[in-house]
Amino acid sequence: MTNRDSIKTPLTALAACISAVVLMTGCSSLKTPATADVAVSRAAVDNAASAGAADLAPDEMRSAREKMRMANQALKDRDYKTARDLADQAQADAKLAQSKANSAKATSAADEINENIRVMREELDRANQQAPKQ
């Protein structure tokens, strides 16, 4: 065996090890994004629930929760593509529910402000009618 052959063998072994690591990393990364997607979607559903979406956008929240349940089941079944897809759908439903809840709250607040303005105008008109004229 020459010097040249002894150099090739460690380099070949190193290349094989690097290839194996890259392949293992690639395969394991299929699980990690699905797990991360499910976690992010779970947080979105929790945020929507905290915003009152369960009461103000019940259909969207029900859909988001059902898709989260199915995503968790797909994750347990190691069907990572389905888990990722369902998690994305659940996140979209949760964001829609949260937006609807925020919109309903804003509309309610605006209605309350308009009612307060109407009452104040009536009181001002009444006060102006009762004031002595000069």
Side-chain angles (χ1 to χ4, degrees):
M1 189 150 94
T2 66
N3 269 350
R4 190 174 185 144
D5 290 337
S6 64
I7 291 174
K8 282 186 179 179
T9 305
L11 288 177
T12 304
L14 180 62
C17 288
I18 290 173
S19 296
V21 169
V22 168
L23 285 173
M24 286 189 291
T25 303
C27 292
S28 70
S29 69
L30 293 176
K31 180 179 179 181
T32 304
T35 304
D37 288 343
V38 170
V40 167
S41 297
R42 187 176 301 118
V45 171
D46 291 345
N47 287 342
S50 296
D55 295 329
L56 301 170
D59 294 337
E60 290 79 5
M61 278 302 294
R62 194 173 312 112
S63 177
R65 286 181 172 148
E66 177 61 18
K67 288 175 184 170
M68 277 306 307
R69 186 194 63 73
M70 292 187 311
N72 285 323
Q73 184 59 48
L75 201 56
K76 287 178 188 173
D77 296 341
R78 296 182 179 188
D79 184 356
Y80 301 123
K81 182 183 179 332
T82 300
R84 189 177 308 111
D85 291 344
L86 287 167
D88 289 344
Q89 291 173 21
Q91 184 177 3
D93 288 348
K95 286 182 178 180
L96 176 61
Q98 186 170 0
S99 293
K100 282 188 170 187
N102 290 341
S103 177
K105 288 178 185 178
T107 300
S108 177
D111 290 346
E112 186 176 335
I113 289 170
N114 285 333
E115 178 61 19
N116 289 341
I117 290 171
R118 186 192 63 75
V119 168
M120 291 177 91
R121 282 186 179 151
E122 286 178 1
E123 289 177 9
L124 184 59
D125 288 345
R126 212 175 343 199
N128 284 339
Q129 289 173 358
Q130 292 175 356
K133 302 206 176 185
Q134 295 178 6

Short mmCIF file of all heavy atoms in Angstrom, two decimals, residues 37-54 56-68 86-103:
data_model
loop_
_atom_site.label_atom_id
_atom_site.label_comp_id
_atom_site.label_asym_id
_atom_site.label_seq_id
_atom_site.Cartn_x
_atom_site.Cartn_y
_atom_site.Cartn_z
N ASP A 37 -44.59 22.73 13.57
CA ASP A 37 -45.82 23.28 12.99
C ASP A 37 -47.02 23.03 13.89
O ASP A 37 -47.86 23.91 14.08
CB ASP A 37 -46.09 22.66 11.61
CG ASP A 37 -45.13 23.15 10.54
OD1 ASP A 37 -44.47 24.19 10.77
OD2 ASP A 37 -45.04 22.51 9.48
N VAL A 38 -47.09 21.83 14.45
CA VAL A 38 -48.20 21.51 15.36
C VAL A 38 -48.13 22.38 16.61
O VAL A 38 -49.15 22.90 17.08
CB VAL A 38 -48.20 20.00 15.71
CG1 VAL A 38 -49.18 19.69 16.83
CG2 VAL A 38 -48.53 19.17 14.47
N ALA A 39 -46.94 22.60 17.13
CA ALA A 39 -46.79 23.44 18.33
C ALA A 39 -47.18 24.89 18.04
O ALA A 39 -47.88 25.52 18.84
CB ALA A 39 -45.35 23.37 18.83
N VAL A 40 -46.77 25.41 16.89
CA VAL A 40 -47.12 26.79 16.52
C VAL A 40 -48.63 26.91 16.34
O VAL A 40 -49.25 27.88 16.79
CB VAL A 40 -46.36 27.21 15.24
CG1 VAL A 40 -46.92 28.49 14.67
CG2 VAL A 40 -44.88 27.36 15.52
N SER A 41 -49.23 25.92 15.71
CA SER A 41 -50.67 25.95 15.50
C SER A 41 -51.43 25.83 16.81
O SER A 41 -52.46 26.48 17.00
CB SER A 41 -51.08 24.84 14.54
OG SER A 41 -50.49 25.05 13.28
N ARG A 42 -50.92 25.01 17.72
CA ARG A 42 -51.54 24.89 19.03
C ARG A 42 -51.53 26.24 19.75
O ARG A 42 -52.53 26.64 20.36
CB ARG A 42 -50.81 23.83 19.86
CG ARG A 42 -51.49 23.53 21.18
CD ARG A 42 -50.80 22.40 21.95
NE ARG A 42 -50.76 21.17 21.18
CZ ARG A 42 -49.63 20.58 20.79
NH1 ARG A 42 -48.46 21.08 21.10
NH2 ARG A 42 -49.67 19.46 20.10
N ALA A 43 -50.43 26.96 19.64
CA ALA A 43 -50.34 28.29 20.24
C ALA A 43 -51.34 29.25 19.59
O ALA A 43 -51.96 30.06 20.28
CB ALA A 43 -48.92 28.83 20.12
N ALA A 44 -51.52 29.15 18.28
CA ALA A 44 -52.48 30.00 17.59
C ALA A 44 -53.90 29.72 18.06
O ALA A 44 -54.70 30.64 18.26
CB ALA A 44 -52.37 29.82 16.07
N VAL A 45 -54.22 28.44 18.25
CA VAL A 45 -55.55 28.07 18.75
C VAL A 45 -55.73 28.59 20.18
O VAL A 45 -56.79 29.14 20.51
CB VAL A 45 -55.76 26.54 18.67
CG1 VAL A 45 -57.04 26.12 19.39
CG2 VAL A 45 -55.79 26.08 17.22
N ASP A 46 -54.71 28.46 21.00
CA ASP A 46 -54.79 28.97 22.38
C ASP A 46 -54.97 30.49 22.40
O ASP A 46 -55.74 31.02 23.19
CB ASP A 46 -53.54 28.58 23.18
CG ASP A 46 -53.47 27.08 23.45
OD1 ASP A 46 -54.50 26.38 23.30
OD2 ASP A 46 -52.37 26.60 23.80
N ASN A 47 -54.25 31.19 21.52
CA ASN A 47 -54.37 32.65 21.44
C ASN A 47 -55.78 33.06 21.02
O ASN A 47 -56.34 34.02 21.55
CB ASN A 47 -53.34 33.24 20.47
CG ASN A 47 -51.94 33.21 21.02
OD1 ASN A 47 -51.72 33.06 22.21
ND2 ASN A 47 -50.96 33.32 20.13
N ALA A 48 -56.32 32.35 20.05
CA ALA A 48 -57.68 32.65 19.59
C ALA A 48 -58.69 32.42 20.72
O ALA A 48 -59.60 33.23 20.92
CB ALA A 48 -58.02 31.80 18.37
N ALA A 49 -58.50 31.34 21.46
CA ALA A 49 -59.40 31.06 22.58
C ALA A 49 -59.29 32.16 23.64
O ALA A 49 -60.30 32.60 24.19
CB ALA A 49 -59.08 29.69 23.18
N SER A 50 -58.07 32.63 23.90
CA SER A 50 -57.87 33.71 24.87
C SER A 50 -58.52 35.01 24.42
O SER A 50 -58.91 35.83 25.25
CB SER A 50 -56.38 33.95 25.10
OG SER A 50 -55.78 32.82 25.67
N ALA A 51 -58.62 35.18 23.11
CA ALA A 51 -59.23 36.40 22.56
C ALA A 51 -60.75 36.33 22.57
O ALA A 51 -61.42 37.27 22.14
CB ALA A 51 -58.73 36.64 21.14
N GLY A 52 -61.31 35.22 23.05
CA GLY A 52 -62.76 35.08 23.12
C GLY A 52 -63.38 34.51 21.87
O GLY A 52 -64.59 34.62 21.66
N ALA A 53 -62.58 33.90 21.02
CA ALA A 53 -63.09 33.38 19.76
C ALA A 53 -64.08 32.24 19.94
O ALA A 53 -64.94 32.02 19.09
CB ALA A 53 -61.93 32.94 18.87
N ALA A 54 -63.97 31.51 21.04
CA ALA A 54 -64.90 30.40 21.29
C ALA A 54 -66.34 30.91 21.34
O ALA A 54 -67.26 30.23 20.88
CB ALA A 54 -64.53 29.66 22.56
N LEU A 56 -67.24 34.21 20.20
CA LEU A 56 -67.51 35.16 19.12
C LEU A 56 -67.34 34.57 17.72
O LEU A 56 -67.84 35.15 16.74
CB LEU A 56 -66.62 36.39 19.29
CG LEU A 56 -66.82 37.13 20.62
CD1 LEU A 56 -65.75 38.18 20.83
CD2 LEU A 56 -68.20 37.76 20.66
N ALA A 57 -66.64 33.46 17.60
CA ALA A 57 -66.46 32.78 16.30
C ALA A 57 -66.43 31.27 16.55
O ALA A 57 -65.43 30.61 16.31
CB ALA A 57 -65.19 33.26 15.63
N PRO A 58 -67.54 30.72 17.05
CA PRO A 58 -67.54 29.32 17.48
C PRO A 58 -67.28 28.32 16.35
O PRO A 58 -66.61 27.31 16.57
CB PRO A 58 -68.92 29.12 18.10
CG PRO A 58 -69.76 30.21 17.53
CD PRO A 58 -68.83 31.36 17.26
N ASP A 59 -67.79 28.58 15.16
CA ASP A 59 -67.59 27.62 14.06
C ASP A 59 -66.12 27.51 13.68
O ASP A 59 -65.60 26.41 13.48
CB ASP A 59 -68.41 28.04 12.83
CG ASP A 59 -69.91 27.94 13.09
OD1 ASP A 59 -70.32 27.17 13.99
OD2 ASP A 59 -70.67 28.64 12.39
N GLU A 60 -65.46 28.65 13.59
CA GLU A 60 -64.04 28.65 13.22
C GLU A 60 -63.20 27.99 14.31
O GLU A 60 -62.26 27.26 14.02
CB GLU A 60 -63.55 30.08 12.95
CG GLU A 60 -64.11 30.69 11.68
CD GLU A 60 -65.53 31.23 11.82
OE1 GLU A 60 -66.10 31.22 12.94
OE2 GLU A 60 -66.09 31.66 10.79
N MET A 61 -63.54 28.25 15.57
CA MET A 61 -62.80 27.64 16.67
C MET A 61 -63.02 26.13 16.70
O MET A 61 -62.08 25.37 16.94
CB MET A 61 -63.21 28.25 18.01
CG MET A 61 -62.53 29.55 18.33
SD MET A 61 -60.72 29.45 18.36
CE MET A 61 -60.43 28.39 19.74
N ARG A 62 -64.24 25.71 16.45
CA ARG A 62 -64.53 24.28 16.43
C ARG A 62 -63.71 23.61 15.33
O ARG A 62 -63.10 22.56 15.55
CB ARG A 62 -66.03 24.06 16.19
CG ARG A 62 -66.50 22.67 16.47
CD ARG A 62 -68.02 22.51 16.38
NE ARG A 62 -68.74 23.56 17.11
CZ ARG A 62 -69.48 24.52 16.54
NH1 ARG A 62 -69.61 24.59 15.25
NH2 ARG A 62 -70.08 25.43 17.28
N SER A 63 -63.65 24.25 14.17
CA SER A 63 -62.87 23.71 13.05
C SER A 63 -61.38 23.66 13.40
O SER A 63 -60.70 22.66 13.13
CB SER A 63 -63.10 24.56 11.81
OG SER A 63 -62.31 24.11 10.74
N ALA A 64 -60.87 24.73 13.99
CA ALA A 64 -59.45 24.78 14.36
C ALA A 64 -59.11 23.69 15.37
O ALA A 64 -58.09 23.00 15.24
CB ALA A 64 -59.09 26.15 14.92
N ARG A 65 -59.97 23.51 16.35
CA ARG A 65 -59.71 22.49 17.38
C ARG A 65 -59.78 21.08 16.80
O ARG A 65 -58.99 20.22 17.17
CB ARG A 65 -60.68 22.67 18.54
CG ARG A 65 -60.34 23.86 19.39
CD ARG A 65 -61.28 24.04 20.54
NE ARG A 65 -60.81 25.08 21.42
CZ ARG A 65 -61.59 25.86 22.12
NH1 ARG A 65 -62.90 25.73 22.05
NH2 ARG A 65 -61.08 26.80 22.90
N GLU A 66 -60.73 20.86 15.91
CA GLU A 66 -60.86 19.54 15.29
C GLU A 66 -59.63 19.24 14.42
O GLU A 66 -59.09 18.13 14.45
CB GLU A 66 -62.14 19.46 14.45
CG GLU A 66 -62.33 18.15 13.71
CD GLU A 66 -62.42 16.93 14.62
OE1 GLU A 66 -62.69 17.07 15.83
OE2 GLU A 66 -62.22 15.82 14.11
N LYS A 67 -59.16 20.22 13.67
CA LYS A 67 -57.97 20.01 12.84
C LYS A 67 -56.73 19.82 13.71
O LYS A 67 -55.85 19.05 13.36
CB LYS A 67 -57.81 21.17 11.86
CG LYS A 67 -58.85 21.12 10.76
CD LYS A 67 -58.78 22.30 9.84
CE LYS A 67 -59.91 22.22 8.81
NZ LYS A 67 -60.06 23.43 8.05
N MET A 68 -56.67 20.48 14.84
CA MET A 68 -55.55 20.27 15.77
C MET A 68 -55.59 18.84 16.32
O MET A 68 -54.55 18.19 16.43
CB MET A 68 -55.59 21.26 16.94
CG MET A 68 -55.01 22.60 16.64
SD MET A 68 -53.31 22.58 16.02
CE MET A 68 -52.48 21.60 17.24
N LEU A 86 -52.52 19.60 8.32
CA LEU A 86 -53.62 19.86 9.24
C LEU A 86 -53.27 20.97 10.23
O LEU A 86 -54.12 21.79 10.58
CB LEU A 86 -54.01 18.58 9.98
CG LEU A 86 -54.75 17.54 9.14
CD1 LEU A 86 -54.80 16.20 9.86
CD2 LEU A 86 -56.15 18.04 8.81
N ALA A 87 -52.02 21.00 10.68
CA ALA A 87 -51.59 22.06 11.59
C ALA A 87 -51.68 23.42 10.91
O ALA A 87 -52.13 24.40 11.52
CB ALA A 87 -50.17 21.79 12.07
N ASP A 88 -51.28 23.48 9.64
CA ASP A 88 -51.38 24.75 8.90
C ASP A 88 -52.84 25.19 8.76
O ASP A 88 -53.17 26.37 8.91
CB ASP A 88 -50.74 24.62 7.52
CG ASP A 88 -49.22 24.53 7.58
OD1 ASP A 88 -48.64 24.86 8.63
OD2 ASP A 88 -48.62 24.11 6.57
N GLN A 89 -53.71 24.23 8.47
CA GLN A 89 -55.14 24.56 8.34
C GLN A 89 -55.72 25.00 9.68
O GLN A 89 -56.51 25.95 9.73
CB GLN A 89 -55.90 23.34 7.81
CG GLN A 89 -55.58 22.98 6.38
CD GLN A 89 -56.22 21.67 5.96
OE1 GLN A 89 -57.20 21.21 6.56
NE2 GLN A 89 -55.67 21.06 4.93
N ALA A 90 -55.33 24.33 10.74
CA ALA A 90 -55.82 24.70 12.07
C ALA A 90 -55.35 26.10 12.44
O ALA A 90 -56.11 26.89 13.01
CB ALA A 90 -55.32 23.69 13.11
N GLN A 91 -54.11 26.42 12.08
CA GLN A 91 -53.59 27.75 12.37
C GLN A 91 -54.36 28.81 11.58
O GLN A 91 -54.70 29.86 12.13
CB GLN A 91 -52.10 27.81 12.02
CG GLN A 91 -51.46 29.13 12.38
CD GLN A 91 -49.96 29.13 12.10
OE1 GLN A 91 -49.41 28.17 11.57
NE2 GLN A 91 -49.31 30.21 12.45
N ALA A 92 -54.68 28.54 10.33
CA ALA A 92 -55.45 29.48 9.53
C ALA A 92 -56.84 29.68 10.12
O ALA A 92 -57.33 30.82 10.22
CB ALA A 92 -55.54 29.00 8.08
N ASP A 93 -57.48 28.58 10.53
CA ASP A 93 -58.81 28.69 11.15
C ASP A 93 -58.74 29.47 12.46
O ASP A 93 -59.62 30.29 12.75
CB ASP A 93 -59.39 27.30 11.42
CG ASP A 93 -59.82 26.58 10.15
OD1 ASP A 93 -59.89 27.22 9.07
OD2 ASP A 93 -60.07 25.36 10.22
N ALA A 94 -57.71 29.23 13.24
CA ALA A 94 -57.56 29.94 14.52
C ALA A 94 -57.34 31.43 14.30
O ALA A 94 -57.91 32.27 15.01
CB ALA A 94 -56.40 29.35 15.31
N LYS A 95 -56.53 31.77 13.31
CA LYS A 95 -56.31 33.19 13.02
C LYS A 95 -57.58 33.86 12.53
O LYS A 95 -57.87 35.00 12.88
CB LYS A 95 -55.18 33.35 12.00
CG LYS A 95 -53.81 33.09 12.59
CD LYS A 95 -52.71 33.29 11.57
CE LYS A 95 -51.35 33.07 12.20
NZ LYS A 95 -50.26 33.27 11.24
N LEU A 96 -58.36 33.14 11.71
CA LEU A 96 -59.64 33.69 11.25
C LEU A 96 -60.57 33.88 12.44
O LEU A 96 -61.23 34.93 12.57
CB LEU A 96 -60.27 32.75 10.22
CG LEU A 96 -61.66 33.15 9.73
CD1 LEU A 96 -61.63 34.53 9.05
CD2 LEU A 96 -62.20 32.10 8.77
N ALA A 97 -60.63 32.90 13.33
CA ALA A 97 -61.48 33.00 14.52
C ALA A 97 -61.06 34.18 15.38
O ALA A 97 -61.90 34.95 15.86
CB ALA A 97 -61.41 31.71 15.33
N GLN A 98 -59.76 34.36 15.56
CA GLN A 98 -59.27 35.47 16.37
C GLN A 98 -59.60 36.81 15.70
O GLN A 98 -60.00 37.76 16.37
CB GLN A 98 -57.77 35.35 16.61
CG GLN A 98 -57.23 36.40 17.56
CD GLN A 98 -55.80 36.13 17.98
OE1 GLN A 98 -55.19 35.15 17.57
NE2 GLN A 98 -55.26 36.99 18.81
N SER A 99 -59.46 36.89 14.40
CA SER A 99 -59.79 38.11 13.68
C SER A 99 -61.28 38.44 13.81
O SER A 99 -61.65 39.59 14.02
CB SER A 99 -59.42 37.99 12.20
OG SER A 99 -58.03 37.90 12.05
N LYS A 100 -62.11 37.41 13.67
CA LYS A 100 -63.55 37.64 13.82
C LYS A 100 -63.89 38.09 15.24
O LYS A 100 -64.73 38.97 15.44
CB LYS A 100 -64.33 36.37 13.47
CG LYS A 100 -64.45 36.14 11.99
CD LYS A 100 -65.40 35.00 11.70
CE LYS A 100 -65.71 34.92 10.22
NZ LYS A 100 -66.75 33.92 9.93
N ALA A 101 -63.24 37.49 16.23
CA ALA A 101 -63.48 37.88 17.61
C ALA A 101 -63.05 39.32 17.85
O ALA A 101 -63.79 40.11 18.46
CB ALA A 101 -62.73 36.94 18.56
N ASN A 102 -61.88 39.68 17.35
CA ASN A 102 -61.41 41.06 17.50
C ASN A 102 -62.33 42.03 16.79
O ASN A 102 -62.61 43.13 17.29
CB ASN A 102 -59.98 41.19 16.98
CG ASN A 102 -58.97 40.48 17.86
OD1 ASN A 102 -59.24 40.18 19.02
ND2 ASN A 102 -57.81 40.19 17.30
N SER A 103 -62.82 41.66 15.61
CA SER A 103 -63.73 42.51 14.86
C SER A 103 -65.05 42.69 15.62
O SER A 103 -65.58 43.80 15.71
CB SER A 103 -64.00 41.90 13.49
OG SER A 103 -64.94 42.67 12.78
#
